[in-house]
Amino acid sequence: MGNDYDDGIDRSEWKDVSDSAKRKLEEARHAFHSFVENHSFDNIRDEEYRLTKDHAIEIHLVTKLRPQFNRYVAKYGARAKWVQLSAEEQKSFSKYKNRKSAVYFCNLTIDASVKDKMIKDKVLKKSTKRKGTPVEDTEEYKLEHHPKKKPSSKKRKLEDLRESESESDEEDEDEDEDSDEDESAEEEEKPQRKKGKVKKKTKKVVDLCNSDDSDEDDQDESEEEDDESEDDQPRRKKRKLK
């Protein structure tokens, strides 16, 4: 095999490569054509801007053929980088999920000149010049030129206030629960306090009764003494008369 295809692919090393692997290289090449065709740089003022798309070529190539593909895209000013898929990423592709060895996809980087060169080389038609998704509408371009804005100081203050309010509400709830527990404990203590007061009152009544009884006894004794003193008075008179 030589280079009879005149497409920039060196097929001299294909003797040790299977037919299936060769077809994969042709598929990757056409995927590269489609990728360039489907992107338009017409509205990009920065002539040096380069678009990089991760996993732009979702076709695994054997190690021997990757350099062939890299040289082919470099011919038009593009750059290829092969990256290994993680185990989770590999499982997400049905045709590679049962593959035991590693799988590599290709990241592509292109600029406005790539399409021009491919049109000049008649790989792409002139009609494709203005066709395709505007590069400024791609997620990659938006992330580079319109990153997510940080919240303003006012928004941050509002968020801080909301967080502090939520924390204070939680503290109030805790305090309410504690106060409820204290109230319930006080309510449980109230009957005991009442019982104590009743006992004290009954004790006072008993003491009063006892004191009344003792007073009555003292009165009786004093009356008896008075009676005795009255009885003694006539006797004393009689003695005087004698």
Side-chain angles (χ1 to χ4, degrees), residues 187-200:
E187 288 178 358
E188 290 179 356
E189 290 177 359
K190 281 180 182 178
Q192 293 179 357
R193 290 177 186 171
K194 287 181 180 178
K195 288 180 182 178
K197 289 180 181 178
V198 170
K199 286 181 180 178
K200 288 180 181 179

Side-chain angles (χ1 to χ4, degrees), residues 26-144:
E26 293 294 336
E27 290 176 13
R29 184 169 63 88
H30 288 296
F32 168 64
H33 296 171
S34 298
F35 178 77
V36 175
E37 183 178 348
N38 292 331
H39 289 86
S40 173
F41 284 80
D42 283 351
N43 298 326
I44 301 298
R45 295 179 181 178
D46 184 4
E47 295 180 356
E48 295 182 358
Y49 176 74
R50 298 172 72 84
L51 173 68
T52 298
K53 175 72 174 178
D54 292 343
H55 297 179
I57 307 295
E58 295 181 346
I59 299 171
H60 174 78
L61 294 183
V62 296
T63 307
K64 288 184 177 181
L65 296 184
R66 287 175 213 156
Q68 296 280 348
F69 178 83
N70 294 348
R71 285 194 291 270
Y72 176 75
V73 300
K75 176 182 176 181
Y76 299 104
R79 185 171 69 243
K81 181 180 179 181
W82 295 88
V83 292
Q84 182 178 345
L85 271 63
S86 66
E88 293 181 359
E89 289 174 333
Q90 189 169 328
K91 288 179 182 178
S92 64
F93 293 90
S94 58
K95 65 179 177 180
Y96 296 120
K97 65 180 181 180
N98 296 323
R99 183 185 174 88
K100 294 181 180 180
S101 56
V103 174
Y104 287 80
F105 283 171
C106 183
N107 297 348
L108 284 178
T109 301
I110 61 173
D111 58 17
S113 67
V114 175
K115 183 180 280 190
D116 293 336
K117 290 175 182 177
M118 294 179 78
I119 291 172
K120 185 178 180 180
D121 207 15
K122 297 183 179 180
V123 176
L124 295 178
K125 295 179 180 180
K126 289 183 180 180
S127 59
T128 62
K129 171 66 177 176
R130 299 183 182 279
K131 287 184 178 180
T133 302
V135 169
E136 64 272 17
D137 291 342
T138 61
E139 293 182 5
E140 290 77 14
Y141 184 90
K142 289 178 181 177
L143 286 173
E144 290 179 18

Side-chain angles (χ1 to χ4, degrees), residues 13 62 81 89 99-100 146 152 169 177 217 239:
E13 298 178 1
V62 296
K81 181 180 179 181
E89 289 174 333
R99 183 185 174 88
K100 294 181 180 180
H146 304 288
S152 62
D169 291 339
E177 290 178 358
D217 293 338
R239 287 176 185 174

Side-chain angles (χ1 to χ4, degrees), residues 167-182:
E167 288 177 359
S168 61
D169 291 339
E170 290 177 359
E171 290 177 358
D172 293 339
E173 288 178 0
D174 294 337
E175 289 177 359
D176 292 339
E177 290 178 358
D178 293 338
S179 62
D180 292 339
E181 291 178 358
D182 294 338

Side-chain angles (χ1 to χ4, degrees), residues 10-24:
D10 183 6
R11 294 173 171 80
S12 60
E13 298 178 1
W14 280 21
K15 293 179 181 179
D16 299 329
V17 179
S18 65
D19 292 336
S20 175
K22 296 172 187 176
R23 286 194 295 270
K24 293 294 182 184

